[in-house]
Amino acid sequence: SAHQWQAPSPTDSRGPCPGLNTLANHGFLPRNGSNITIPVVLKAINDGFNFQPINLLRIGAKLGLLTTDAEDSFTLNNLALHGTLEHDASLSRNDYALGDNVHFNETVFTTLANSNPGVDYYNITSAAQVMEQRLAEDKIVNPTLINTIKEFTVRIVESGFYLSVMGNVTTGVAPKNFVQIFFREERLPLEEGWERSEVPIGEDNFDTLLSEISNVTTWAPSGEVICPWIRLQP
Ligand code: HEM
Ligand code: MG
């Protein structure tokens, strides 16, 4: 059917966002990963995840346009431009300075995969701990690590994304196997029992989730770059 999972072909564009890659693998976004406009991406996120076109997503999509010289669309691979949206201490990709900031990396993902031991779900507390641990790991290996309030804010949002889209936006609880399939295979775990959120993910419930994650982390900026920065073009 139209939204069956299909692995990308070698010429299809994919990038550092497991959420958008997944939407492309299921045909909610163009399967070739190209010509993505703001309305196209907002509709795909709503159709695939029941995530409403809230301001936060609109801003994210607009920042996506800054990663290319094209005037009104981007490709999934454009999003890898380091310093616009792409940042260090990702959950499933290596730091830009360490090599490959685009493709899924099982070694990097180990921290999240092994979090919340003893139970079969991730939650707000485990997500916050994973964020702290990824940062601690990168402080050891990446002397160019960038960790300002901007990267922290984006990372909180991304933790909120996997908890809400693969789990429950109200409780912040997400089954481990759903989250792992999402990251590793960039596939909606439909056969495994995942269902698109019944509750629309929107401004109120998502903001609450983000505050809850941020309330249980102790974060501080570090590194040479102290002023939040953003690359305005490639
Ligand atoms: C990461 C772009 C929406 C899930 C990223 C990254 C980019 C990006 C550039 C890489 C950041 C990094 O880790 O260095 C976008 C844009 C979006 C969007 C432009 C739409 C406006 C979504 C949605 C989801 C999602 C709706 C829902 C599941 C994630 C997750 C990460 C991520 C979980 C973290 C990956 C990691 O840390 O390894 N996104 N994204 N994104 N995105 Fe998206
Ligand atoms: Mg990254």
Side-chain angles (χ1 to χ4, degrees), residues 64-224:
L65 291 179
L66 298 179
T67 64
T68 169
D69 289 329
E71 284 175 352
D72 58 7
S73 72
F74 57 86
T75 72
L76 293 182
N77 193 258
N78 288 151
L79 297 173
L81 188 70
H82 184 55
T84 302
L85 282 163
E86 199 283 319
H87 54 78
D88 294 330
S90 296
L91 303 166
S92 67
R93 271 73 171 164
N94 220 332
D95 287 1
Y96 175 74
L98 302 178
D100 182 352
N101 65 340
V102 176
H103 297 96
F104 176 81
N105 180 314
E106 186 68 46
T107 306
V108 171
F109 186 63
T110 304
T111 304
L112 170 49
N114 293 349
S115 67
N116 225 21
V119 292
D120 61 2
Y121 57 85
Y122 302 120
N123 61 16
I124 289 164
T125 314
S126 72
Q129 285 167 348
V130 169
M131 288 182 62
E132 289 179 21
Q133 203 178 324
R134 283 291 303 122
L135 196 57
E137 291 161 3
D138 276 1
K139 282 180 183 171
I140 298 165
V141 292
N142 184 0
T144 70
L145 174 68
I146 295 169
N147 173 40
T148 74
I149 185 70
K150 190 195 98 180
E151 287 73 29
F152 176 69
T153 305
V154 174
R155 291 170 63 229
I156 291 271
V157 171
E158 291 162 354
S159 294
F161 278 159
Y162 76 79
L163 290 177
S164 60
V165 166
M166 283 299 115
N168 184 305
V169 67
T170 311
T171 60
V173 170
K176 285 184 176 176
N177 67 325
F178 293 177
V179 172
Q180 292 178 13
I181 289 165
F182 167 78
F183 276 99
R184 290 194 175 116
E185 303 176 39
E186 302 190 326
R187 170 167 80 71
L188 298 173
L190 290 157
E191 296 102 276
E192 290 78 8
W194 176 86
E195 287 175 274
R196 179 176 179 266
S197 179
E198 229 166 84
V199 184
I201 305 170
E203 199 97 42
D204 288 357
N205 54 17
F206 195 68
D207 278 357
T208 302
L209 178 62
L210 298 187
S211 313
E212 288 170 346
I213 302 168
S214 121
N215 283 343
V216 292
T217 69
T218 52
W219 173 85
S222 63
E224 300 280 311

Side-chain angles (χ1 to χ4, degrees), residues 20 23 28-29 38-54 57 165 194 196-197 199-202:
L20 300 187
L23 291 172
F28 289 104
L29 282 173
I38 294 177
V40 162
V41 76
L42 295 178
K43 180 174 192 306
I45 292 169
N46 193 246
D47 290 349
F49 299 146
N50 200 15
F51 206 133
Q52 297 178 330
I54 61 175
L57 289 180
V165 166
W194 176 86
R196 179 176 179 266
S197 179
V199 184
I201 305 170

